[in-house]
Amino acid sequence: MDKMADVLGRVGAWCGQNKYLSAIKNAFQTFMPLTIAGAIGVLWCNVLVNADSGLGMFWKPIMALEVINPAFAAMQFATISCITVGITFGIAQEIGEANGETGYFAGLLGLACWLAVTQSGWANYALVDTAKQTLELTADGALQTFTGVAGGALGATGLFTGMIVGVVSVEIFCALRKVEGLKLKMPETVPPGVARAFEVLIPAVITLAIIALIGRGCELVTGLYLNDVISTYIQGPLGAIGSTIPGVIIIYIIIGLFWLVGIHGNNMLAAVKEALFTPLMLENIETFSKTNNAKGDDLHIFAMAWLQMFGEFGGSGVTIGLVISILVFSKREDNRTIAGISLVPGLFNINETVTFGIPMVLNPILGIPFVLAPIVTLMLGYVLTVIGFCPKAVINTPWTTPPILHGFLTTGANIMGAVSQAIAIVASILIYAPFLIAYERYQNKQAAEAAE
């Protein structure tokens, strides 16, 4: 156990100090309020003020508010459908700050570089799928050329490209900034803001030119824009590998093992999880906003909100199951006290109180269900979703949303989502209960030996 703790501690320290993982994690966390705002837009248009699949089916007066639905649809577009813009800016900004840059120019440069490798010119294209806003090249050139970035590139399919370009472009820029010969020195009488703008001018121009040339070279060699190459040959395969039961299980085992040595496992793997599962969640949200169907075959199962729904309710290790087990089965006053003060935070998916109060760290008995329980509940959720009992995750909800309510909202206000999460909670209780009983016997034995 000590050896495992040492190895995981070293890995955790490396992850915590790695500027690229930290940049990705921080960018997604900073953007989270906007993602939730976009989810509210989807909830309004598809669940509340909707006569076909929402509350409007049962209560017609609410449809008087339909006139403002476009405003809430605009909220969804400006946030979730344009997430690549915000994440690219955020990652570039984080990398710039990690390299000593001040101000927000690094973010602007990263965003400009991403736009430089993203298709923005469209000639002879026709709209072939109104629902998905899909464009297809036509032979007769019936349409005029127009300029704009496709919705897919702004949203889920452009996310990996934005992340990669945001990192690479700012690293190039920061390296060039260290070259004294590339700095344009202005007289002291020039205002500092103007002087700094000229100081970064040449490195910025070179960086933008390098990235744009890489994008053009990719287009000449492959016939595809860089975003298409990355989304097809990098983002797609990574998502396919991660979005499988074995891939998900491995991620949650690693999260649990980190926690057992006192390292915040979710924080350690946040960058990996966000990169793999956020694009899938965004695609689900956009599909649901057009179809109002939370059980469609074109929806992904392993989306970010689905993982939170079945693998993180009550906090990492689904410890709400342990808290309830203690309140029901425990005969020790100290454990019941910890469970009592941990219940309310646990209902909002905050579990540090029970994790460090029991404690779970280096606990050879309760550590087993801590790793096992989320794996079982995730597999249970997968089965319930595959058989059609549980709808898929189509709305992002705050991670602090209480269990059962979380399942209800995440599945598009579907009662079966709440029922499915309730079943997972019961399963977690049944997993923790026998280990809790064994742990209390161990505690009692230790207390008796200490009293002798």
Side-chain angles (χ1 to χ4, degrees):
M1 194 69 172
D2 290 340
K3 186 175 181 180
M4 182 187 74
D6 181 63
V7 171
L8 290 175
R10 292 175 183 273
V11 174
W14 178 84
C15 291
Q17 296 170 4
N18 187 278
K19 64 180 178 182
Y20 305 115
L21 294 179
S22 296
I24 294 172
K25 179 188 71 175
N26 293 341
F28 276 104
Q29 288 180 346
T30 301
F31 198 84
M32 185 186 301
L34 294 180
T35 304
I36 295 171
I40 292 173
V42 176
L43 191 67
W44 178 276
C45 294
N46 295 83
V47 177
L48 297 179
V49 188
N50 191 299
D52 297 322
S53 61
L55 184 58
M57 295 174 61
F58 312 102
W59 191 51
K60 296 299 181 183
I62 198 173
M63 295 309 299
L65 298 174
E66 189 175 17
V67 66
I68 62 174
N69 275 18
F72 284 90
M75 283 174 55
Q76 183 263 333
F77 173 78
T79 55
I80 294 172
S81 294
C82 293
I83 190 173
T84 296
V85 177
I87 295 300
T88 302
F89 180 93
I91 290 176
Q93 182 68 19
E94 291 283 341
I95 295 296
E97 292 179 358
N99 286 331
E101 291 295 321
T102 57
Y104 51 84
F105 181 75
L108 291 174
L109 178 63
L111 185 57
C113 287
W114 168 71
L115 287 170
V117 298
T118 302
Q119 183 173 5
S120 58
W122 306 81
N124 304 333
Y125 278 81
L127 188 65
V128 296
D129 189 331
T130 304
K132 296 184 179 180
Q133 293 293 295
T134 302
L135 294 168
E136 188 173 274
L137 189 63
T138 61
D140 56 5
L143 296 183
Q144 289 184 326
T145 299
F146 63 95
T147 301
V149 178
L154 291 170
T157 58
L159 199 52
F160 254 62
T161 305
M163 292 165 61
I164 294 172
V165 172
V167 170
V168 173
S169 61
V170 178
E171 286 290 9
I172 293 173
F173 170 72
C174 291
L176 294 173
R177 285 270 282 135
K178 296 177 182 178
V179 181
E180 289 294 327
L182 298 179
K183 295 180 181 180
L184 292 177
K185 299 294 184 179
M186 303 299 291
E188 294 184 0
T189 55
V190 174
V194 177
R196 186 179 184 281
F198 276 94
E199 185 176 312
V200 303
L201 177 60
I202 295 178
V205 170
I206 295 175
T207 300
L208 193 55
I210 290 172
I211 299 298
L213 288 170
I214 290 174
R216 180 56 179 164
C218 177
E219 185 183 355
L220 291 173
V221 172
T222 66
L224 300 172
Y225 282 83
L226 183 62
N227 181 65
D228 298 323
V229 172
I230 291 177
S231 62
T232 302
Y233 298 107
I234 298 179
Q235 182 173 341
L238 283 177
I241 294 171
S243 59
T244 62
I245 275 290
V248 169
I249 287 175
I250 290 172
I251 288 173
Y252 277 84
I253 287 176
I254 295 173
I255 289 174
L257 291 177
F258 271 127
W259 271 108
L260 293 183
V261 296
I263 300 171
H264 198 301
N266 254 330
N267 280 353
M268 290 299 100
L269 270 74
V272 176
K273 286 172 57 186
E274 294 286 0
L276 289 176
F277 302 111
T278 294
L280 304 182
M281 188 67 225
L282 298 177
E283 290 177 10
N284 279 8
I285 293 172
E286 293 185 4
T287 301
F288 178 70
S289 69
K290 296 166 185 173
T291 65
N292 292 329
N293 181 11
K295 290 188 176 182
D297 293 335
D298 51 351
L299 296 171
H300 303 286
I301 294 179
F302 297 105
M304 179 60 75
W306 187 93
L307 296 179
Q308 295 170 340
M309 177 178 167
F310 285 108
E312 299 173 20
F313 57 87
S316 295
V318 295
T319 48
I320 193 69
L322 173 60
V323 171
I324 297 174
S325 294
I326 293 174
L327 294 176
V328 174
F329 300 108
S330 176
K331 297 179 180 180
R332 287 182 60 92
E333 192 62 30
D334 55 349
N335 291 339
R336 294 183 66 83
T337 300
I338 293 170
I341 64 177
S342 301
L343 180 59
V344 173
L347 291 176
F348 294 92
N349 306 315
I350 300 169
N351 71 339
E352 278 79 0
T353 309
V354 66
T355 301
F356 295 108
I358 287 295
M360 303 297 293
V361 176
L362 299 178
N363 190 320
I365 299 176
L366 291 181
I368 296 173
F370 185 85
V371 175
L372 179 63
I375 294 173
V376 173
T377 54
L378 284 164
M379 293 178 67
L380 175 63
Y382 177 72
V383 172
L384 292 176
T385 307
V386 167
I387 65 176
F389 183 87
C390 177
K392 295 168 185 175
V394 292
I395 293 180
N396 257 337
T397 50
W399 67 270
T400 51
T401 305
I404 298 181
L405 177 61
H406 186 283
F408 175 73
L409 294 176
T410 293
T411 55
N414 193 306
I415 190 63
M416 297 313 295
V419 172
S420 299
Q421 196 170 30
I423 293 172
I425 293 172
V426 172
S428 70
I429 296 170
L430 296 176
I431 293 169
Y432 270 108
F435 289 94
L436 170 67
I437 294 170
Y439 179 61
E440 292 205 341
R441 288 175 181 169
Y442 170 77
Q443 286 181 303
N444 293 335
K445 181 180 178 182
Q446 291 289 99
E449 291 176 354
E452 293 178 356

